[in-house]
Amino acid sequence: MNILLVNDDGYFAKGILELRDFLVKKGHDVIIFAPLLHQSGTSSSITIDRPLTLKRIEEKIFAIDGRPSDVVSFALSSFKKYQFDLVISGINIGYNISFDTMYSGTLGAANEALNLGKKVIAISANTSLKNVSESLEIIWNYLNEKDIISNQYILNINIPATDKIKGVKITTLANAIEKPYYLEKNGEFYRHREIEYQFDSNSDYQALKDGYISITPLNNNTFSQKYYNKLSEI
């Protein structure tokens, strides 16, 4: 396959390079388009107030001084040399679970690919990137065996930091309560938070806690059929 790799950590990040190396060994043609600078927490934001600059880092690595969504949009619309069969966003350094998927630049890039009709996967891992090599083999075999890669949804995949990978689970987004707080240093305020995850045996958080790779199907539609049905009956 021709695979487009993107991320929100930047073209130099260990996660995207490790993923590139894995896919190349599997015989795929891989092109990296990634932000020039770190872009975590940028969600699906786009750059509209200035032009973008493209830098060729290596033969198949390109960097754009924009958001992850900009990177995907540019690569798919303007880089006509390749007809990409699949877009993979990641490997993000740090989990993207529960409501953090709303903030994530990794998922922002995946959403843009889905909007543009591409099959898409997002992959995130623990901050140490522990188990990544082993997990990529498990994930790739699982996805191909089950034939679940699609352009109808995003497969949001998270890799646990555990001594032994127990397997793969299809999961839901965990419900959580966030308590943000800000610490001041030299007149500047830095965001911190506490998170309390509510127990759900089917959630992404619980799967990771139990030592499983979590795969959660997501879409780019914030419309709720459940609450539409409820409100329309009032």
Side-chain angles (χ1 to χ4, degrees):
M1 289 189 291
N2 291 331
I3 300 177
L4 171 64
L5 289 192
V6 300
N7 71 358
D8 69 357
D9 291 321
Y11 71 90
F12 47 80
K14 182 179 178 181
I16 197 170
L17 296 176
E18 190 158 342
L19 179 56
R20 184 270 314 270
D21 292 345
F22 171 82
L23 293 169
V24 168
K25 287 179 181 177
K26 292 295 182 183
H28 303 297
D29 197 358
V30 180
I31 306 293
I32 291 177
F33 270 83
L36 184 64
L37 302 173
H38 195 267
Q39 297 289 336
S40 288
T42 55
S43 188
S44 292
S45 62
I46 56 175
T47 302
I48 58 175
D49 59 345
R50 61 175 177 82
L52 299 174
T53 301
L54 173 69
K55 291 186 66 174
R56 182 173 180 173
I57 308 300
E58 296 178 11
E59 181 182 356
K60 294 186 177 181
I61 300 180
F62 298 86
I64 294 177
D65 64 336
R67 307 299 196 190
S69 294
D70 294 324
V71 171
V72 175
S73 178
F74 181 90
L76 294 181
S77 65
S78 301
F79 200 68
K80 299 296 187 180
K81 181 179 178 180
Y82 281 83
Q83 292 297 315
F84 293 107
D85 304 300
L86 175 66
V87 177
I88 305 180
S89 186
I91 299 171
N92 187 68
I93 301 174
Y95 296 137
N96 277 310
I97 61 173
S98 187
F99 57 74
D100 278 347
T101 55
M102 175 178 63
Y103 302 129
S104 167
T106 301
L107 269 300
N111 269 319
E112 188 71 10
L114 192 68
N115 288 341
L116 296 174
K118 291 298 181 179
K119 294 181 177 181
V120 59
I121 301 167
I123 306 178
S124 303
N126 54 86
T127 53
S128 67
L129 295 182
K130 183 177 180 180
N131 300 319
V132 162
S133 296
E134 173 191 358
S135 296
L136 286 175
E137 285 286 351
I138 295 171
I139 290 165
W140 204 245
N141 290 338
Y142 183 92
L143 295 178
N144 285 289
E145 177 186 338
K146 302 295 185 181
D147 192 24
I148 57 174
I149 300 174
S150 174
N151 63 358
Q152 300 300 306
Y153 49 76
I154 299 164
L155 292 176
N156 183 42
I157 303 172
N158 283 272
I159 299 170
T162 184
D163 291 334
K164 181 176 176 56
I165 299 292
K166 294 182 180 179
V168 178
K169 283 191 174 181
I170 302 297
T171 57
T172 62
L173 291 177
N175 290 317
I177 298 173
E178 180 184 40
K179 298 178 181 178
Y181 61 96
Y182 292 80
L183 297 179
E184 185 268 341
K185 183 178 180 181
N186 298 325
E188 298 176 323
F189 293 85
Y190 295 85
R191 189 180 192 273
H192 298 265
R193 64 179 182 172
E194 297 176 356
I195 300 179
E196 179 182 337
Y197 292 99
Q198 300 176 3
F199 177 76
D200 180 347
S201 61
N202 295 320
S203 75
D204 46 12
Y205 170 77
Q206 193 63 42
L208 293 172
K209 186 177 179 181
D210 293 341
Y212 289 88
I213 295 166
S214 166
I215 301 182
T216 309
L218 305 176
N219 64 34
N220 55 356
N221 184 355
T222 57
F223 171 76
S224 170
Q225 187 68 50
K226 173 184 174 181
Y227 288 106
Y228 170 80
N229 293 341
K230 180 177 180 179
L231 295 174
S232 65
E233 293 171 359
I234 296 175

